[in-house]
Amino acid sequence: RKIIFLLGFIFVLFFNRLEILKPLSEKSFSKEVYDRNGTLLRLTLSDDQQYRLFRKLNQIDPQLQEAILLSEDRFFYYHWGVNPFSIARALFSLNQVRPYGASTITMQMVRLRDKIYTKNLSGKVIQILKAVQAEFLYSKKQILEAYLNLTPYGANIEGVGAASLIYFNKQAEKLSLSESLL
């Protein structure tokens, strides 16, 4: 009986773990309706009243990915969710008129996904701990994909999929360099 219980426990743990390994499993997304010629007819709101379209990483223009990495987190592929050098730089700049930020893409992804309030110390600590946890649970590809699908682009538009359709009437994989930079 103990062996059956142990095997059952491992089985349940394994399948619960699979669900955990999807960083956006609890988010709802908009639905797209196209005519037979591929023209967008309607874009619905998600359950939380956002225009948010899920796009896999290979459906997002590589130039856009590179532009985001360069502007938001140049060392994304080299840290474990938190960049200690950025944190040190941010701490030393606290007395300046415009202090530096220290959030990595992973930290921003967990803040957006979990709606963490990070304007106080306890919120920042929670964000850091969740970012380190996310680095253990998800691949860099999953983290970047989740971030690109959650980033706000004005009003109630979230993610590059919705933003590219709403602002440029194009799929995220067909953006020009200037559109990606904008």
Side-chain angles (χ1 to χ4, degrees), residues 19-177:
E19 188 59 34
I20 289 172
L21 292 177
K22 297 175 185 172
L24 297 178
S25 61
E26 295 180 11
K27 288 288 182 183
S28 67
F29 289 89
S30 302
K31 298 199 182 359
E32 307 159 87
V33 178
Y34 293 92
D35 69 10
R36 65 179 126 199
N37 300 320
T39 304
L40 181 67
L41 297 175
R42 178 170 164 73
L43 184 62
T44 67
L45 289 166
S46 63
D47 293 343
D48 58 351
Q49 304 303 302
Q50 301 295 312
Y51 289 107
R52 184 187 309 117
L53 293 170
F54 179 78
R55 293 293 183 257
K56 291 183 180 181
L57 208 51
N58 64 1
Q59 296 174 308
I60 300 170
D61 184 70
Q63 291 178 342
L64 174 59
Q65 294 176 43
E66 186 66 26
I68 298 241
L69 287 172
L70 286 173
S71 70
E72 295 293 327
D73 188 358
R74 290 180 294 167
F75 303 107
F76 174 68
Y77 289 105
Y78 305 105
H79 60 67
W80 33 269
V82 177
N83 186 337
F85 299 109
S86 295
I87 290 176
R89 183 183 68 174
L91 288 173
F92 285 115
S93 73
L94 284 176
N95 292 332
Q96 295 180 1
V97 175
R98 188 162 184 237
Y100 290 104
S103 292
T104 63
I105 283 180
T106 309
M107 291 171 67
Q108 292 178 57
M109 184 274 293
V110 296
R111 178 182 56 83
L112 292 166
R113 183 193 64 187
D114 299 340
K115 298 186 183 336
I116 302 170
Y117 181 77
T118 59
K119 299 292 182 193
N120 56 32
L121 184 59
S122 63
K124 216 28 140 168
V125 169
I126 290 168
Q127 181 187 28
I128 288 170
L129 293 174
K130 284 188 172 250
V132 172
Q133 180 186 35
E135 288 282 336
F136 283 106
L137 290 174
Y138 313 126
S139 69
K140 289 288 190 178
K141 178 183 173 185
Q142 287 175 301
I143 292 168
L144 182 59
E145 184 177 85
Y147 175 76
L148 292 171
N149 280 290
L150 292 174
T151 307
Y153 285 98
N156 62 340
I157 302 167
E158 287 187 4
V160 297
S164 62
L165 272 179
I166 291 169
Y167 293 127
F168 302 114
N169 198 26
K170 291 182 176 180
Q171 295 294 332
E173 61 191 358
K174 298 188 188 232
L175 293 175
S176 69
L177 179 59

Side-chain angles (χ1 to χ4, degrees), residues 3-20:
I3 293 175
I4 292 173
F5 176 77
L6 182 63
L7 290 174
F9 177 76
I10 291 170
F11 180 79
V12 168
L13 181 67
F14 176 75
F15 278 98
N16 283 341
R17 188 85 170 172
L18 286 177
E19 188 59 34
I20 289 172

